[in-house]
Amino acid sequence: MKKATLIVTIFLLSGAISFGQYTDHRNHKLDSLETVVAPWTEARMAKATPEEKSMIADAWHDLMWGYSNINPGRSMYFARRNMELCQQELWLNQALQSAKMIGQHHWAAGQTDSAMAYFNKALAIADRMALKEPLPGKPEGYKQSTIDDAYSGVYGAIGNLYASMDSLPRAMEYYRKCGDLLEKNGWNESSSVLYQNMGETWLEAGNLKEAENSYNKALQFGQAAEDSLLIANAQAGLGALYLEQGKTSK
């Protein structure tokens, strides 16, 4: 499977409320932000107030994403620090996103065992979120939509991992788990991205029937989302499929 095929999109687009949601960090001045957080050593963090810890966690989160495409090593460093802090403070959803980011970097480096270990860590955090236990700042626990968002992102990531390992039955098992949650919540943009990814996976595997079904679903959800880019991507996928079938007029 081509890792360039939306390597992170599935777990960035699912949902609309959690830290799993896509945020554009390109405009952040990363060097300046690093300068701000640099004095916060482990010793100083141990004495920090909850408000200070929250501020630093947000900064590490931005650095984690800001460096994700330009400096994976720095991205992983801040993801690790953020995961450790958020686990200590029981900020579970933030910890899950950091664990997933670390897994993503291991996957991109071809380290599949390490990637799976962190994706499983993220799943374990999602399981705890699903208990809806009272947590700091969340006495009622996490909302079901936030929990669904967390699970769908990790399921999509694991699906990508299995697809890159040419384990299509397992990949599709997790893609479908992801898709069920996306459709349940009406997250049409994410559903379109998911099925586009599935279409490309099936096309590369030579299963043209499943590829066509997936591209058509990607088109359906793109139209429901009224997103012209998603519609165009699905149409381009169908075009590639028809060329493969020799249906040049289509």
Side-chain angles (χ1 to χ4, degrees):
M1 177 188 177
K2 300 173 187 172
K3 285 187 182 175
T5 305
L6 307 172
I7 186 170
V8 296
T9 311
I10 288 176
F11 31 120
L12 295 180
L13 290 179
S14 59
I17 53 176
S18 76
F19 273 67
Q21 179 186 351
Y22 176 67
T23 306
D24 189 342
H25 298 277
R26 286 174 298 177
N27 293 326
H28 285 236
K29 296 180 179 178
L30 300 177
D31 291 342
S32 299
L33 193 54
E34 272 208 72
T35 301
V36 170
V37 300
W40 289 90
T41 61
E42 290 187 14
R44 187 177 176 185
M45 286 298 297
K47 300 176 182 178
T49 66
E51 291 76 16
E52 288 171 330
K53 289 180 179 178
S54 179
M55 177 191 70
I56 296 302
D58 287 345
W60 285 344
H61 171 265
D62 282 352
L63 287 163
M64 172 184 84
W65 280 114
Y67 280 123
S68 59
N69 290 322
I70 60 176
N71 191 330
R74 297 303 290 162
S75 176
M76 186 175 290
Y77 169 77
F78 287 111
R80 289 184 187 280
R81 295 206 69 181
N82 199 44
M83 182 182 70
E84 291 169 3
L85 173 61
C86 292
Q87 284 183 311
Q88 292 170 6
E89 299 300 314
L90 298 180
W91 299 331
L92 299 182
N93 200 25
Q94 295 94 318
L96 181 147
Q97 303 307 325
S98 297
K100 195 168 56 177
M101 173 65 81
I102 297 169
Q104 172 196 319
H105 283 307
H106 281 301
W107 174 47
Q111 299 161 346
T112 56
D113 289 344
S114 295
M116 186 62 80
Y118 278 95
F119 292 152
N120 282 332
K121 184 185 289 287
L123 273 184
I125 298 172
D127 288 341
R128 186 167 181 187
M129 290 170 61
L131 297 176
K132 297 187 178 181
E133 60 186 295
L135 295 167
K138 291 186 177 294
E140 73 288 354
Y142 286 96
K143 295 180 180 179
Q144 189 60 49
S145 55
T146 304
I147 296 166
D148 289 348
D149 178 63
Y151 272 121
S152 64
V154 183
Y155 288 153
I158 295 175
N160 285 345
L161 177 61
Y162 277 124
S164 68
M165 296 165 63
D166 294 324
S167 182
L168 288 190
R170 295 305 304 278
M172 293 304 161
E173 174 188 349
Y174 279 93
Y175 282 155
R176 290 187 182 107
K177 286 183 177 182
C178 175
D180 287 345
L181 292 172
L182 299 181
E183 292 184 49
K184 168 189 169 184
N185 288 279
W187 294 330
N188 293 321
E189 294 90 345
S190 299
S191 292
S192 183
V193 170
L194 172 65
Y195 282 105
Q196 179 77 18
N197 209 33
M198 291 171 69
E200 293 189 14
T201 303
W202 283 124
L203 184 60
E204 289 177 15
N207 191 326
L208 303 188
K209 179 179 179 181
E210 290 291 352
E212 184 170 12
N213 289 339
S214 296
Y215 283 135
N216 278 324
K217 283 196 170 184
L219 180 60
Q220 170 193 334
F221 284 111
Q223 290 170 334
E226 299 181 344
D227 188 308
S228 58
L229 179 58
L230 294 176
I231 293 170
N233 285 340
Q235 290 173 332
L238 285 167
L241 171 70
Y242 293 140
L243 281 175
E244 188 75 17
Q245 294 174 325
K247 300 177 180 178
T248 53
S249 62
K250 297 191 70 173

